[in-house]
Amino acid sequence: MRRLLADTPTSMVWKVSTFPGTLDQVAAARRTLREMWAANPSLNGDFLDDLLLMVSELTANAIRHTRSGDPGGLVGLVVTAHSTGVRVEVIDQGSRTVPRVIGPEDDDMPLRRGGRGLALVEATSDRWGHHPVSMVTARRGRVVWFEKGTA
């Protein structure tokens, strides 16, 4: 497998961004990732399409299903790329539910729209997960993350 970052094993590139919690910002999150790759030609371009898909899904989920989508809400994006892989974290402002993959047992409507984003992340990433995080505002947020190229 070709390395993600072509330099030494300790090379690292990272980016931290914050976006308003509106659905038009999903494109801004993708653009941020694309610009990071363009600015660092040593990053493996083979990963980019998968990363863009997963960032879109997680950013949209944060906006649709958490307080990040409320008026004034925010979504954070942290991307860390190193020689063996990339880790992306999407940080939301919390919700009453935890992220979970929708399975066939949840499919009550044959033509159901939506609900497949985490299944795509699970299928496309090497690993993914989530954990709560305390926000500066004393609210509970959540980090949903994935890794690619780390297996």
Side-chain angles (χ1 to χ4, degrees), residues 101-136:
V101 174
I102 300 282
E105 65 280 0
D106 299 306
D107 211 2
D108 51 357
M109 295 182 294
L111 299 176
R112 179 186 179 134
R113 291 183 60 199
R116 304 286 192 272
L118 289 178
L120 285 170
V121 171
E122 184 173 68
T124 307
S125 67
D126 292 333
R127 66 187 139 262
W128 77 279
H130 58 85
H131 59 82
V133 62
S134 293
M135 308 299 279
V136 174

Side-chain angles (χ1 to χ4, degrees), residues 20-137:
T22 56
L23 284 173
D24 62 322
Q25 296 301 303
V26 174
R30 281 194 308 268
R31 188 170 40 256
T32 297
L33 186 60
R34 200 177 286 114
E35 288 169 357
M36 179 181 170
W37 249 247
N40 295 282
S42 60
L43 290 171
N44 182 346
D46 296 344
F47 286 81
L48 187 55
D49 286 340
D50 288 347
L51 300 178
L52 291 169
L53 171 70
M54 292 186 284
V55 162
S56 294
E57 293 296 339
L58 294 186
T59 304
N61 281 356
I63 294 165
R64 285 188 179 115
H65 302 297
T66 77
R67 288 186 206 97
S68 291
D70 292 349
L74 298 171
V75 176
L77 176 67
V78 178
V79 182
T80 308
H82 48 86
S83 64
T84 58
V86 63
R87 180 179 173 101
V88 175
E89 299 177 349
V90 175
I91 303 138
D92 66 48
Q93 292 181 295
S95 71
R96 292 188 176 138
T97 60
V98 296
R100 70 181 185 88
V101 174
I102 300 282
E105 65 280 0
D106 299 306
D107 211 2
D108 51 357
M109 295 182 294
L111 299 176
R112 179 186 179 134
R113 291 183 60 199
R116 304 286 192 272
L118 289 178
L120 285 170
V121 171
E122 184 173 68
T124 307
S125 67
D126 292 333
R127 66 187 139 262
W128 77 279
H130 58 85
H131 59 82
V133 62
S134 293
M135 308 299 279
V136 174
T137 61

